[in-house]
Amino acid sequence: MNPNDELAELLFPEIKETIEDLEARFPPRQLPEGAQVTRFAPSPTGFLHTGSLFTAMISSTVAKQSGGVYCFRLEDTDTKRTVTGSDQDLIDQLAAFGIVADEGYFPNGDKGAYGPYRQSDRASIYKTVIKELIREGKAYPDFCTPEDLDQIRKIQEEKKILPGYYGEYARDRNLTSEERIARIKAGTPWVIRYRSNGDHERKTKFTDVIRGEIELQENDTDVVILKSDGLPTYHFAHVVDDHFMRTTMVTRGEEWIPSTPIHLDMFRALGWKVPKYAHLPSIMKLDNGNRRKLSKRKDKEAAVSYFLDQGYPAEALKVYLMSIANSNFEEWSITNKSFDIDKFKFSIKKMSFDGALFDMDKLNYFSREVIVRMPLEEEFEAVYEYAKAHEEVFAKRIESDPIYFKRILNIEKDSKNPRKDYAKYSDIYPIIRYFYPDEYDKIAASELPFNPAYSKELIAAMMEDFKGMPFGVDENTWFGFIKEVGAKHGFASSNKDYKTDPSAFVGSLSDAAGVLRVAIVGSTLSHNLHEILDILGHDEVVRRLEIIKSK
């Protein structure tokens, strides 16, 4: 038997399949011209990062708009960092944003013919490919201990040369097959390394879909491709997975650009077609004047769960991320009067090279627009579901009288220019709590923001007169009454009159209405006052006027 064949059998006696068998088991996909097969491949190491949501959204959008397939693959070979249950959390949080894989890993069972989609379930596939690489002399077992590797690094530091396991510093690279076999039979621990044919003095090129042609040093490092625990490293596993899942476009963060020569080296050594690479820009944060990536440890915005917990509609965050992805999205949304990203023609080639700074103000802008455009029933259900999960008091308010709460949500909703007070669901209850009598009483117990120029006697007299306001009438009729009360107490009958000679009046017509607003809601700002009064009803309004009158 050829020594390499003997070595391969000694290392992997249980592997009977060949690469040809795998090619037959996972044949090329039959898809329309131009259809892209993309994948989102997170590690189950904790929460869903905002940057990961961005990547998943782009991957899903590219596949969907091209008529292709979007896959979800779980890269769980780093067992030390795996967090139990985070696989389900990742899937649930992506689903909350409407990102559901066409095929891939699901905890209750894979979906699709190109699985398994969890890397820890694909060990035999990786070993099949590695066994063939061993036979061809393109991979080899390495017996270096951690101490051996430290010694190699020290020598390289002393010589001030590029660190790594390559060339003459790849200690076990040139052992004979017989020597390797003897060590394995002696029980010496081993890992498998890929034998690179590169040279870091040479350059390699590839075309990035976003960034164009990129030139980097060739890979000459003999990287580990199978660890001592029997699981592959990312570098090798993703090459095998993307080939046999027939991925056509790899969308991933720009931090992987320096590693791309390793991956190109492996694809070429295996004789496989290299997929397109699209390295996405990072989402950045300004920190003491310096730009840096959003950090899991430092930034609350780094976790997608933060936005869900705060009550941002999932659609709002997606809309914001799409505005980062394609700068023309915002202009398109204004022209088309739509935030439906499925109708927007996304172009991965129009993505910026540079990472965008995360802008909470812009997210809040989009979120207000999304909320105000929601149909009433949809908004009610979304707010109620949020309250049940995050705000027990708020949920109980809604449950006590859902119709009353819907009337509150519906204020000005159908007007030409509706107010946009809520950037997130957690904003709602603090703003509208005055609608509930016990909450109003707490507000009224404190100092209310009446104009200090108005005496208590004036305010009390106006409260008494406001008790006679009509209910169940149109806004013009109601406002006519406010004008009469204001005029009686020295306020101008129109804002124009007040501007002409302000010294002749106690205040403007708007000021007179403002006295009533403060008395009823406890604030100088609110939704349409006529609608508020109508929802509160005569008895509650009179009760509040009496409270203010007696203060």
Side-chain angles (χ1 to χ4, degrees):
M1 182 184 289
N2 180 297
N4 278 350
D5 290 342
E6 184 180 350
L7 177 60
E9 287 301 325
L10 180 62
L11 289 166
F12 305 111
E14 77 283 8
I15 298 300
K16 305 303 179 187
E17 269 193 314
T18 64
I19 290 180
E20 289 72 25
D21 294 327
L22 294 177
E23 296 286 359
R25 189 166 20 134
F26 306 114
R29 297 171 183 267
Q30 301 302 310
L31 293 171
E33 176 98 20
Q36 301 293 337
V37 180
T38 65
R39 50 50 162 199
F40 177 56
S43 299
T45 54
F47 61 76
L48 180 64
H49 192 283
T50 302
S52 297
L53 174 64
F54 182 61
T55 300
M57 187 182 81
I58 299 305
S59 299
S60 175
T61 300
V62 167
K64 184 183 295 185
Q65 293 196 357
S66 67
V69 178
Y70 162 62
C71 302
F72 180 90
R73 184 169 77 226
L74 198 69
E75 298 193 340
D76 64 339
T77 59
D78 190 346
T79 54
K80 292 179 181 177
R81 296 177 61 230
T82 296
V83 176
T84 303
S86 62
D87 55 344
Q88 184 68 64
D89 290 342
L90 288 167
I91 290 169
D92 290 345
Q93 289 182 7
L94 287 170
F97 289 88
I99 301 174
V100 179
D102 300 311
E103 66 180 52
Y105 169 79
F106 294 91
N108 59 353
D110 284 354
K111 176 184 176 184
Y114 289 79
Y117 296 90
R118 178 169 62 182
Q119 286 185 335
S120 58
D121 295 331
R122 297 173 61 82
S124 65
I125 295 174
Y126 305 128
K127 289 177 180 178
T128 297
V129 178
I130 291 172
K131 188 172 184 177
E132 185 62 30
L133 289 175
I134 296 285
R135 290 184 193 280
E136 295 175 0
K138 296 177 180 178
Y140 60 89
D142 176 74
F143 306 97
C144 283
T145 64
E147 293 74 22
D148 294 332
L149 296 175
D150 284 340
Q151 187 59 36
I152 292 171
R153 275 192 290 270
K154 287 177 183 176
I155 293 171
Q156 291 170 332
E157 287 174 6
E158 289 170 3
K159 292 184 176 182
K160 296 181 180 180
I161 60 174
L162 190 70
Y165 198 85
Y166 64 92
E168 64 181 288
Y169 300 101
R171 193 197 70 180
D172 292 353
R173 177 182 235 261
N174 296 317
L175 293 176
T176 65
S177 294
E178 290 79 6
E179 287 174 312
R180 300 186 202 283
I181 290 169
R183 293 193 186 190
I184 292 168
K185 287 183 176 180
T188 308
W190 50 267
V191 297
I192 301 295
R193 287 185 181 272
Y194 167 73
R195 184 191 292 272
S196 174
N197 292 309
D199 183 339
H200 66 255
E201 299 293 339
R202 298 196 303 257
K203 301 289 187 179
T204 186
K205 296 179 181 179
F206 71 98
T207 301
D208 185 278
V209 177
I210 299 170
R211 301 159 191 275
E213 187 174 87
I214 295 177
E215 184 177 79
L216 297 167
Q217 290 175 322
E218 277 188 353
N219 169 63
D220 63 356
T221 301
D222 288 4
V223 296
V224 174
I225 59 176
L226 192 72
K227 299 176 292 181
S228 58
D229 61 4
L231 291 173
T233 57
Y234 167 79
H235 292 306
F236 181 70
H238 105 274
V239 167
V240 173
D241 293 343
D242 284 335
H243 175 71
F244 286 117
M245 292 179 186
R246 306 300 175 178
T247 303
T248 62
M249 185 182 293
V250 174
T251 51
R252 62 186 185 185
E254 63 185 352
E255 66 272 16
W256 289 106
I257 291 175
S259 300
T260 305
I262 298 173
H263 309 148
L264 297 174
D265 197 5
M266 291 183 186
F267 270 110
R268 290 163 183 162
L270 287 159
W272 293 343
K273 183 179 179 181
V274 179
K276 299 174 185 174
Y277 281 100
H279 289 96
L280 309 182
S282 299
I283 299 175
M284 310 295 285
K285 180 82 179 270
L286 204 59
D287 188 355
N288 294 322
N290 298 314
R291 293 164 64 98
R292 62 167 172 78
K293 285 178 62 176
L294 274 182
S295 165
K296 285 184 177 184
R297 289 173 294 136
K298 298 179 181 179
D299 306 314
K300 59 184 183 296
E301 309 98 311
V304 165
S305 57
Y306 165 77
F307 301 101
L308 298 176
D309 291 344
Q310 286 290 304
Y312 283 95
E315 182 189 354
L317 186 54
K318 286 178 68 178
V319 165
Y320 171 64
L321 292 176
M322 185 58 77
S323 76
I324 292 176
N326 272 184
S327 59
N328 62 320
F329 172 78
E330 197 167 347
E331 181 183 348
W332 175 89
S333 68
I334 294 170
T335 303
N336 291 271
K337 296 180 171 59
S338 171
F339 287 133
D340 186 348
I341 62 175
D342 290 336
K343 293 180 180 177
F344 172 66
K345 184 62 178 174
F346 168 76
S347 172
I348 199 162
K349 293 183 179 180
K350 290 183 179 179
M351 293 189 75
S352 168
F353 297 177
D354 301 319
L357 288 173
F358 195 90
D359 187 339
M360 286 297 295
D361 290 338
K362 181 163 276 192
L363 171 62
N364 287 334
Y365 161 76
F366 282 124
S367 194
R368 287 188 177 94
E369 293 289 339
V370 166
I371 290 174
V372 82
R373 294 171 191 225
M374 284 183 180
L376 176 61
E377 289 298 327
E378 180 184 335
E379 184 180 357
F380 172 81
E381 289 298 329
V383 175
Y384 181 40
E385 287 302 315
Y386 168 78
K388 283 193 293 184
H390 298 90
E391 296 185 29
E392 184 180 359
V393 171
F394 189 15
K396 287 181 177 178
R397 293 290 191 199
I398 296 171
E399 291 163 359
S400 68
D401 193 340
I403 293 175
Y404 184 72
F405 181 65
K406 285 182 184 179
R407 291 185 69 191
I408 296 170
L409 281 184
N410 204 39
I411 296 173
E412 298 186 63
K413 200 163 187 65
D414 297 327
S415 65
K416 187 175 181 181
N417 295 301
R419 288 175 61 95
K420 298 163 186 174
D421 294 280
Y422 317 132
K424 50 191 184 297
Y425 303 139
S426 59
D427 291 343
I428 295 176
Y429 189 61
I431 292 174
I432 61 96
R433 69 188 183 98
Y434 66 82
F435 274 100
Y436 297 93
D438 60 322
E439 291 283 8
Y440 171 79
D441 292 347
K442 295 174 188 174
I443 295 168
S446 61
E447 193 70 30
L448 296 183
F450 289 110
N451 188 326
Y454 305 154
S455 68
K456 288 186 177 182
E457 292 75 19
L458 172 62
I459 292 172
M462 292 180 75
M463 296 302 104
E464 183 62 34
D465 288 342
F466 280 141
K467 289 180 184 178
M469 79 176 72
F471 281 78
V473 297
D474 63 80
E475 190 167 358
N476 286 335
T477 302
W478 167 80
F479 197 64
F481 172 81
I482 301 301
K483 186 185 296 186
E484 290 176 10
V485 173
K488 177 181 175 181
H489 293 282
F491 290 83
S493 295
S494 72
N495 290 332
K496 182 180 179 181
D497 291 345
Y498 182 73
K499 286 181 180 178
T500 302
D501 186 7
S503 63
F505 303 100
V506 173
S508 68
L509 177 56
S510 296
D511 292 333
V515 173
L516 178 60
R517 187 184 307 278
V518 171
I520 296 301
V521 308
S523 171
T524 58
L525 299 172
S526 76
H527 290 89
N528 181 282
L529 186 56
H530 177 254
E531 290 191 59
I532 291 170
L533 296 167
D534 192 48
I535 292 171
L536 289 171
H538 174 272
D539 291 351
E540 176 61 18
V541 169
V542 170
R543 186 186 80 85
R544 296 185 182 195
L545 294 172
E546 190 60 45
I547 289 173
I548 302 305
K549 178 186 173 185
S550 62
K551 287 189 72 172

